[in-house]
Amino acid sequence: MSEGRGPVKYQEHLQDTAVTIDGEDVTFEDLAFYILFEEEKVEEQAKIYNSDYTKDYWNLHTNDTFIQEEAKDVVMGMAIHDHLFYQLAVEEGLDKLDAKEEEDLKYRQTDFWEDLLDIQWEKLPCDEETINEQIRIAAIAEKYQNKLADKEGPSRAAYKYDGYYYSLIKDEHDIKINKKLWDKFVLGDVTLKHSKINYINGLTNEDKEKSKEKEGN
């Protein structure tokens, strides 16, 4: 499957480059925190939509795209934002956290692990220490983002991963996504498990079984 047109297994490509930012490689392993976070968030929404068949929600088509693809864009968007701002923070010597920020980071890490679904614990793509370091990078990126916003304005929201002023900064940097591999990952199936799909191609599982029975007669 990994060599063909179908989806690939994320865990088999942890050391492969996911995106290059100004010549620095960000691996697929570096995306683990963002994948776990986004899959957990969307899955919780999916349980509200259909607790028996959560994959239905992932397959919904809305705003001219599928929920799964939209979530995938969020993962890559957040990862690029945080790694770019982290690189800029390092360059400017702003990559350290003070005592209060370290305390806040520990709370953030604890909250992340407490929110994780049981199946995600079973399918952790890498060790906890690595993921905690990714959360640290995200915290430093947020600190840099907020300092930039407070200095330049107009708001902190404008410098988030989907903010307008951030997009202007991003355009000034060389960012190349490994689309050949990234396009083959199916978000929702990396740290989760969906064994059943209720509604696809206009048919429920019950409809499909009835259709099979008719074909057999």
Side-chain angles (χ1 to χ4, degrees), residues 197-211:
I197 300 174
N198 183 47
Y199 189 86
I200 190 167
N201 295 330
L203 296 177
T204 65
N205 284 339
E206 185 179 354
D207 292 332
K208 284 183 280 187
E209 288 301 320
K210 288 180 179 177
S211 179

Side-chain angles (χ1 to χ4, degrees), residues 79-137:
I80 291 173
H81 169 278
D82 288 357
H83 281 272
L84 173 57
F85 274 7
Y86 176 75
Q87 288 176 205
L88 296 177
V90 170
E91 289 174 8
E92 297 181 30
L94 300 173
D95 56 320
K96 303 293 187 237
L97 300 175
D98 60 29
K100 175 63 168 60
E101 291 164 343
E102 285 286 355
E103 185 179 357
D104 290 342
L105 172 62
K106 284 185 170 53
Y107 282 125
R108 183 181 298 192
Q109 291 168 334
T110 299
D111 287 345
F112 170 78
W113 293 112
E114 288 180 349
D115 289 342
L116 218 59
L117 302 173
D118 290 343
I119 184 63
Q120 291 185 293
W121 278 104
E122 296 173 20
K123 298 185 68 175
L124 275 186
C126 53
D127 60 79
E128 294 177 44
E129 184 179 355
T130 298
I131 294 170
N132 276 332
E133 181 57 26
Q134 293 168 9
I135 301 174
R136 173 181 291 275
I137 288 172

Side-chain angles (χ1 to χ4, degrees), residues 85 148 152-155 157-160 162-172:
F85 274 7
L148 190 62
E152 305 291 342
S155 68
Y159 293 88
K160 291 184 177 182
D162 56 352
Y164 176 70
Y165 277 75
Y166 161 67
S167 70
L168 299 180
I169 295 172
K170 185 177 72 168
D171 287 344
E172 297 174 355

Side-chain angles (χ1 to χ4, degrees), residues 183-198:
D183 287 350
K184 291 187 175 183
F185 289 114
V186 178
L187 202 73
D189 292 342
V190 178
T191 69
L192 300 173
K193 184 178 180 181
H194 295 111
S195 58
K196 13 178 217 186
I197 300 174
N198 183 47

